[in-house]
Amino acid sequence: MRRRLRDRLLRWLRQWLVAGLVIAVLGTCFSFLYNLATQGSAQPPPGLTYVQTGDINTRYRQWGTSGTPVLLLHGFIESADSWEPTATQLARDHRVYAIDLDGFGYTQRVAPYSTAHLTRQVLGFISAMHLVRPILVGHSSGAAVAGAVALADPAAVGGVMFLDGDGLPLSGTSNGGRARSGISLPIPQPFRTTLLRLLVHSDSAIRLIYAETCGPACPPLVGTRLEQWRLPFQVAGAEPAVFQVLTAGIPSLPLTSLAAIARLPLPKAVVYGADDPEYAPGSARQTATRIGASDPTLIAGARHLTMISSPVAVATAVDRLAARTAARSSAG
């Protein structure tokens, strides 16, 4: 009886091993063939504007011709184009700039994709464009970059806004916020490239991620709006940069740096979507306390992409920060 049971178990085990081997071979063949069929890079849109910022050829956009300069810094997987709804509102009273941070958009990909490297890119842009103490608005992980720039050269910055971002790594406050924020990638090649391309080529997947992150108030992704999210991941150098960025980790700061921001004599502001699923209730107030800002602004009904869902509310908050910056400059 025991021998028959053992033989049956061994037979099942052999069948499962054979089935697993067949699936692995078929999956590998599909992956190689799919990657071969989809290889090649897309061309960036015509008419993009660039400026050299240290070792990076940085793509940027500009709106408005007069007023306080405002520099917009996007978050993870975003680009300068993500800011268009809010930038259009701000352009009525400000000179508005948005850049593609290294690793995303159409900026030249130059490793390492660290917070320090992005900080140098932003300071290089401020210098190259001759901006005088711009207001820095950092969205999501871009908040950490805005804070790092202010710490690196406070005299170059007029004010700082954390928009839908707390500046911390993915690990939150564990280890004082010093924990590594990189994402391990256990999936080997060629499957890693296959999964990325399947995601990028899928209209449905992009729209689902956008809808869940942005919320019902956001315009639907159709036509050029959809391509604004897809095309940056199809240009030359984008694919290897994605994996390097994930390994390096999203831009972040430790708690000690957030405390140092609080000590800077600069106006600061925190603005969150009230329904942002990325953060626990009370996170906005906690972030404001950490960076020395006044009470945070919570935008009713908004999720994580407030610059798209609520451009008027975000622009109004930036206007208030700019007014405080102007008053401080006059008093000084």
Side-chain angles (χ1 to χ4, degrees), residues 14-96:
R14 284 194 297 269
Q15 290 172 347
W16 279 107
L17 288 174
V18 170
L21 180 61
V22 170
I23 292 172
V25 171
L26 290 177
T28 302
C29 290
F30 167 79
S31 185
F32 273 113
L33 291 174
Y34 179 80
N35 292 353
L36 182 64
T38 56
Q39 69 180 352
S41 302
Q43 291 298 316
L48 300 181
T49 52
Y50 289 84
V51 66
Q52 193 67 32
T53 57
D55 59 343
I56 303 171
N57 194 25
T58 295
R59 181 254 180 155
Y60 72 95
R61 294 191 63 181
Q62 182 176 350
W63 300 261
T65 57
S66 62
T68 304
V70 177
L71 179 52
L72 308 172
L73 307 175
H74 65 76
F76 188 69
I77 77 169
E78 300 165 12
S79 72
D81 296 320
S82 307
W83 289 103
E84 185 165 8
T86 291
T88 302
Q89 294 290 326
L90 287 170
R92 299 172 182 177
D93 300 301
H94 305 280
R95 288 179 291 121
V96 185

Side-chain angles (χ1 to χ4, degrees), residues 118-145:
L118 299 177
T119 298
R120 291 191 293 271
Q121 180 191 11
V122 175
L123 287 171
F125 183 82
I126 292 173
S127 176
M129 300 299 290
H130 307 290
L131 305 184
V132 179
R133 298 181 62 80
I135 304 294
L136 299 186
V137 182
H139 178 255
S140 192
S141 60
V145 180

Side-chain angles (χ1 to χ4, degrees), residues 163-208:
L163 178 64
D164 304 321
D166 61 7
L168 291 169
L170 292 175
S171 59
T173 59
S174 63
N175 193 30
R178 297 188 299 276
R180 185 174 178 273
S181 59
I183 300 173
S184 61
L185 299 171
I187 302 172
Q189 291 289 22
F191 306 109
R192 191 184 300 176
T193 295
T194 302
L195 289 174
L196 175 61
R197 291 184 186 177
L198 286 171
L199 176 61
V200 169
H201 287 135
S202 172
D203 292 1
S204 297
I206 296 173
R207 286 182 176 130
L208 177 62

Side-chain angles (χ1 to χ4, degrees), residues 281-318:
S283 176
R285 184 169 297 279
Q286 192 173 41
T287 299
T289 300
R290 285 174 177 153
I291 69 169
S294 55
D295 289 344
T297 297
L298 295 177
I299 302 176
R303 296 187 188 176
H304 192 61
L305 298 177
T306 52
M307 71 285 199
I308 297 175
S309 68
S310 312
V312 174
V314 174
T316 299
V318 175

Side-chain angles (χ1 to χ4, degrees), residues 237-305:
E239 283 184 356
V242 167
F243 303 126
Q244 289 178 300
V245 167
L246 288 173
T247 302
I250 64 170
S252 61
L253 295 171
L255 287 173
T256 53
S257 292
L258 297 183
I261 293 172
R263 294 191 292 270
L264 293 177
L266 296 172
K268 304 125 191 167
V270 171
V271 179
Y272 274 41
D275 298 333
D276 191 339
E278 301 289 329
Y279 300 102
S283 176
R285 184 169 297 279
Q286 192 173 41
T287 299
T289 300
R290 285 174 177 153
I291 69 169
S294 55
D295 289 344
T297 297
L298 295 177
I299 302 176
R303 296 187 188 176
H304 192 61
L305 298 177

